[in-house]
Amino acid sequence: MPPDCQNPKIGENWTVLFVSISNSLRTMPLIVQKFGGSSVADTQKILGAARKAIRAAQAGNQVVVVVSAMGKTTNQLIALANEITERPSYREMDMLMSSGEQVTIALFAIALESLGYKAVSMTAAQLGIKTDSSHTRARIKSISTERMRKALDEGKIVIAAGFQGIDDDGDITTLGRGGSDTSAVALAAALGADECEIYTDVDGVYSTDPRILPEARKVERIAYDEMLELASLGAGVMHSRSIEFAKKFRVPVQVRSSFSDTPGSLIVAEPESDDPVCGAAISKNEARFTVIGIPDQPGNAMRLFSAIAEAKIPTDMIVQNIGVEGRADLSFTVPATDQLAAFDVVNTVVKEIGAKGASSQDDVAKVSVVGLGMESQSGVAQKMFRAIADKGINIQMITTSEIKISVLVSRDDAPEALRAVHAAFELQNPPKRIHPLKSQPSTKLEGHELEISRLTGMEDIIIESIHCNREESRITIGEMPDRPGIAAEMFEKIAAAGILVDMIVQSCGREGKASISFTIPRTSLDKALAVAAALTEEWGCSLLLHDPKIAILSVRGTGLRSHTGLAYRMFKTLSDGGINVNIISTSERNIGISVDDGNGEKGLELLKKEFVGEMM
Ligand code: ASP
Ligand code: MG
C-alpha cells in the first residue's frame, strides 16, 4: 500500500486499488504479451504465439499472455445473435462475446503444455478483473494480482482472457470492441510489468495509415499523448482506452508484429524528437452539421449539445461563429453512422430555440496532424494549410488544440490532402534529431503511487489542472471568400509578422462565405489586427471583429474524451453560470474554452467546484 494512504486526510475517502505499484518484491522482470485476433486465428498461429511467450520466459521473464478471440470470432458470435433478433440484451451479448476469448486461452495453454511448458489459463473472473456494470462497454475498476502472482511464482505462464471483466454481481462484462488491448495494458499496470508487448498484424505504429500512404514511416517511438490523439482519430492500431491506462500508470508499450522478430514501435512518455508533427490521420466517416441563426444567448448551444449527448452521439470539431446581429451559426461533426439520429435531434432543438435552420452533409472527411512538438513551435498550422491549398483543395472547417490540428475537406479530396500534409512535414523520413530515450518511464516514479491510490476506479478520469489564461485576444474575420488558400494566406502573413497563434477555428462556408477566428497573445494584437485589416481589404470582406481581452479556461487530464460527458459538463457548468462560450478546442488531454475576460475568474471557480471530485 502506498505510504500516503496511511495518512487519514488522504486515505479515508478513497478506495485503495489492488494495484501493485512497487516492483520491490519481484526480482524477475515481468512482461505482458498481448496477441490480437489475427495473431491467434488458427492453431498454427496459436503455436507460433506460444513460442514467442516461451522465448520471453527463457530469456528470464515472468510472462503473462493476454489474448483476443480467434480471428473474426467475435463478429461471428454477434452475427449469430442477430440471426435471432436485432436487439439482443446487452447482458447476454457479453455472455456470448466473452466466450471467444475463453476458447483462445484454453488452446493457448494447451499449446504451451504441448511444448513442455507450465501454463494456466484464466478468465476475468478468475483473474479478478472487476468492472462496472455497463454491459458491452464496461470500464475496469480494479484488478487483483494475487492469483496471477502465485501462478507466476510457481513458474507458470499465465494466459489471461482479454476483453472481459466481471461486475460486482458476478456477471460477465466486456470492455467494448477491441478491448483486449485495454485488458493487456491494465494487467501490465496492475502487475507493475516492465513492458507490455502488443503483437498484431502490423509491425508497429506508422506516421499514417500505410494502406492509404505506402510511404508512411514506422516510428521507433511515440509519446502517450500523441498516440492517444492518433488512436482517437481512427489510427486503428490500438484501443484508445489502453493508451490512457499506459499513460496513467506509466506502462511502456511496444507494438510489434506477431509474424516476424523485428522490433516494433515503443509508446512511452517522451516523444521521439522535437519535430512539431509525429503523425497524420484521416477519418473518412464524418458528417457535418450546420445550425444557422441561433439566438446568441448563453444556454442555446448548450441545449443543442445536451440533446445530442443524451442521444449518445459523440460530437467533434465544434465551431461557433461569433454572433452577428444577435445570432450565431454553429457547425460540428458527428460519425457518419450517427447522421440520421443526429438530424432528428438537431431539428427538434432548432425549433425549440428559434434558430433559422440546419443542414447536414456526409461527403466530408477529417484530416489531422498530431505532435507534442507543436505546443512550443509556430508555423505548423500554416504549413498544413499551405500544403492543402497547393493541391487546390478547399478547407471547410478548422479546429485546433495544443497538440493537434484538424481540417474538414470533401471526402474525395481527403486522401490527396493527407498525402500533401504527410509530405509537407516530411513524415516519410525519420526525424533529423532523435532524442535518446532517457529513462524508462516507470510505475515506481515519485509521487505517482499517490496519484494512483487516489483513484476509485482504474479507468476514472484524472483531472490534473484547471486554469485560466487571461493573456489572450481574439480576432474574427467574417464573410471571407470560401475558396482554397484563404487560411494558408492568412496564417502565413500572421506568422511572417512574428505572431504566435494559439487557437484557430474556421467555420464551414455558407453562401460562398466562411469565417475564421483565432487567438493570439495580447501583446501581438495590434500587429495581428494590421495584418488582418490588410487581408480583409484585399478579399473585400466586410467583417473584422476583435476582442482585446478574452480568457481561456482549460481543463487538463487523462480520459477527457473517452469519458464523453466531460466536455458537456464543462459547457453546462459555464452555461448555468450565465457564461457564454466562444471558441472551443479539444484534445484527449485538454479542453479549452474561450470566454469573455470578465467571466474568466468566475468560470474558473465554477469549474473547480464542478470537478473537485476528479482533481488530482
Ligand atoms: N475479441 C474482441 C473484439 O473483437 C476484443 C479484441 O479483439 O480486442 O472486439
Ligand atoms: Mg484488436
Side-chain angles (χ1 to χ4, degrees):
M1 183 185 285
D4 288 280
C5 290
Q6 276 130 37
N7 174 345
K9 268 212 309 258
I10 295 163
E12 247 167 19
N13 300 322
W14 301 93
T15 314
V16 177
L17 297 172
F18 293 109
V19 176
S20 158
I21 307 150
S22 146
N23 293 352
S24 55
L25 294 174
R26 218 182 58 221
T27 44
M28 277 172 92
L30 192 159
I31 68 169
V32 173
Q33 297 185 320
K34 182 251 166 179
F35 295 94
S38 56
S39 310
V40 291
D42 55 42
T43 45
Q44 283 311 310
K45 288 192 172 129
I46 290 176
L47 279 161
R51 286 191 193 95
K52 285 203 189 289
I54 290 172
R55 246 180 290 154
Q58 284 172 340
N61 297 291
Q62 292 191 323
V63 181
V64 173
V65 172
V66 178
V67 290
S68 297
M70 293 168 70
K72 303 231 175 299
T73 302
T74 312
N75 289 345
Q76 287 156 3
L77 292 169
I78 295 170
L80 280 178
N82 288 340
E83 281 177 21
I84 301 172
T85 166
E86 267 173 31
R87 287 173 190 267
S89 75
Y90 292 144
R91 182 191 182 278
E92 299 311 329
M93 281 313 283
D94 277 351
M95 185 65 89
L96 177 67
M97 289 191 293
S98 63
S99 67
E101 274 70 12
Q102 195 169 331
V103 171
T104 323
I105 52 173
L107 290 174
F108 208 109
I110 291 168
L112 283 168
E113 286 171 350
S114 78
L115 295 166
Y117 265 77
K118 287 199 281 181
V120 57
S121 63
M122 292 190 203
T123 64
Q126 292 168 320
L127 288 160
I129 301 182
K130 278 283 180 67
T131 69
D132 63 24
S133 302
S134 11
H135 285 290
T136 73
R137 53 191 163 88
R139 283 184 177 268
I140 297 177
K141 295 203 298 193
S142 65
I143 298 178
S144 52
T145 55
E146 284 136 72
R147 193 158 170 190
M148 271 185 289
R149 286 209 184 281
K150 189 161 167 284
L152 290 169
D153 290 342
E154 288 163 7
K156 291 178 183 152
I157 294 177
V158 173
I159 320 299
F163 183 47
Q164 52 179 257
I166 190 151
D167 73 3
D168 285 341
D169 300 328
D171 280 329
I172 296 176
T173 55
T174 63
L175 307 178
R177 296 303 308 275
S180 50
D181 290 333
T182 295
S183 310
V185 182
L187 283 173
L191 290 161
D194 296 274
E195 187 170 285
C196 181
E197 296 181 332
I198 305 287
Y199 285 94
T200 172
D201 50 3
V202 293
D203 57 359
V205 176
Y206 279 76
S207 56
T208 197
D209 187 342
R211 285 165 306 183
I212 301 176
L213 296 193
E215 65 267 37
R217 177 182 76 99
K218 186 175 101 188
V219 304
E220 261 173 55
R221 200 164 91 213
I222 187 163
Y224 296 133
D225 283 320
E226 296 172 329
M227 190 64 199
L228 257 176
E229 289 309 329
L230 288 170
S232 78
L233 288 167
V237 195
M238 281 183 79
H239 200 225
S240 61
R241 276 161 55 195
S242 68
I243 315 292
E244 284 176 11
F245 259 108
K247 179 185 173 188
K248 205 185 273 184
F249 296 92
R250 318 265 159 96
V251 180
V253 174
Q254 188 180 173
V255 177
R256 57 192 306 185
S257 165
S258 342
F259 311 119
S260 81
D261 284 323
T262 46
S265 306
L266 202 57
I267 311 170
V268 290
E270 296 164 56
E272 190 176 32
S273 77
D274 287 335
D275 286 2
V277 172
C278 72
I282 186 169
S283 152
K284 285 190 196 153
N285 300 313
E286 304 276 329
R288 188 194 81 190
F289 278 84
T290 301
V291 182
I292 58 171
I294 302 175
D296 194 14
Q297 289 145 10
N300 276 344
M302 182 50 223
R303 273 178 57 200
L304 182 63
F305 288 112
S306 69
I308 297 171
E310 258 163 49
K312 300 242 181 320
I313 299 170
T315 45
D316 191 34
M317 292 191 82
I318 301 172
V319 179
Q320 177 169 241
N321 284 356
I322 299 306
V324 184
E325 290 159 10
R327 286 183 179 258
D329 294 354
L330 203 136
S331 305
F332 56 91
T333 58
V334 301
T337 44
D338 289 323
Q339 188 186 13
L340 273 181
F343 202 78
D344 293 340
V345 176
V346 169
N347 276 330
T348 310
V349 179
V350 160
K351 288 196 199 100
E352 271 172 35
I353 62 178
K356 285 191 180 146
S359 62
S360 85
Q361 262 184 296
D362 68 353
D363 54 351
V364 291
K366 182 173 64 176
V367 173
S368 310
V369 295
V370 168
L372 277 176
M374 74 174 78
E375 213 172 3
S376 51
Q377 284 168 60
S378 57
V380 183
Q382 94 247 16
K383 197 166 180 176
M384 178 179 190
F385 303 156
R386 172 51 64 201
I388 294 170
D390 284 349
K391 297 286 174 205
I393 296 171
N394 193 29
I395 296 177
Q396 302 183 6
M397 267 170 95
I398 301 171
T399 55
T400 65
S401 77
E402 68 317 337
I403 57 170
K404 173 183 71 185
I405 303 172
S406 296
V407 300
L408 199 73
V409 296
S410 82
R411 187 173 297 156
D412 291 344
D413 288 337
E416 199 185 351
L418 177 74
R419 178 166 296 120
V421 168
H422 193 269
F425 291 100
E426 295 178 48
L427 297 179
Q428 69 282 6
N429 301 324
K432 292 201 180 62
R433 276 206 289 146
I434 295 188
H435 293 308
L437 187 60
K438 274 188 239 106
S439 52
Q440 278 289 103
S442 143
T443 47
K444 288 174 284 184
L445 284 189
E446 279 287 301
H448 198 60
E449 300 185 3
L450 174 64
E451 292 174 20
I452 295 174
S453 68
R454 292 185 58 174
L455 298 176
T456 51
M458 287 182 91
E459 278 199 82
D460 282 359
I461 305 182
I462 297 186
I463 292 180
E464 284 148 26
S465 67
I466 302 180
H467 56 255
C468 175
N469 168 4
R470 298 183 59 189
E471 310 284 309
E472 299 264 307
S473 304
R474 190 197 72 227
I475 294 182
T476 297
I477 301 172
E479 315 262 285
M480 296 185 334
D482 184 21
R483 61 169 160 79
I486 289 289
E489 194 175 346
M490 172 93 235
F491 292 103
E492 275 168 358
K493 295 220 158 118
I494 294 276
I499 302 164
L500 260 168
V501 179
D502 189 14
M503 297 177 170
I504 301 174
V505 296
Q506 184 202 297
S507 71
C508 63
R510 181 152 69 93
E511 292 155 15
K513 305 279 182 203
S515 87
I516 236 171
S517 290
F518 56 96
T519 72
I520 44 169
R522 279 182 201 171
T523 47
S524 305
L525 178 62
D526 291 341
K527 267 199 284 182
L529 270 176
V531 175
L535 278 175
T536 43
E537 194 172 320
E538 189 187 317
W539 293 332
C541 37
S542 54
L543 204 67
L544 172 59
L545 304 169
H546 74 280
D547 190 340
K549 287 185 176 178
I550 58 163
I552 298 175
L553 294 163
S554 311
V555 172
R556 184 172 274 232
T558 306
L560 302 191
R561 269 159 59 101
S562 74
H563 290 261
T564 41
L566 190 115
Y568 165 68
R569 264 169 74 198
M570 222 175 139
F571 299 148
K572 176 155 171 55
T573 304
L574 296 175
S575 151
D576 288 351
I579 298 176
N580 223 349
V581 166
N582 295 322
I583 301 180
I584 300 159
S585 117
T586 59
S587 67
E588 291 292 320
R589 62 165 198 189
N590 193 76
I591 297 178
I593 288 183
S594 97
V595 300
D596 293 341
D597 186 63
N599 284 327
E601 294 304 322
K602 182 180 169 199
L604 184 64
E605 285 320 305
L606 290 172
L607 291 177
K608 282 191 172 157
K609 223 163 91 196
E610 170 68 20
F611 293 115
V612 66
E614 287 106 332
M615 283 290 285
M616 291 278 3

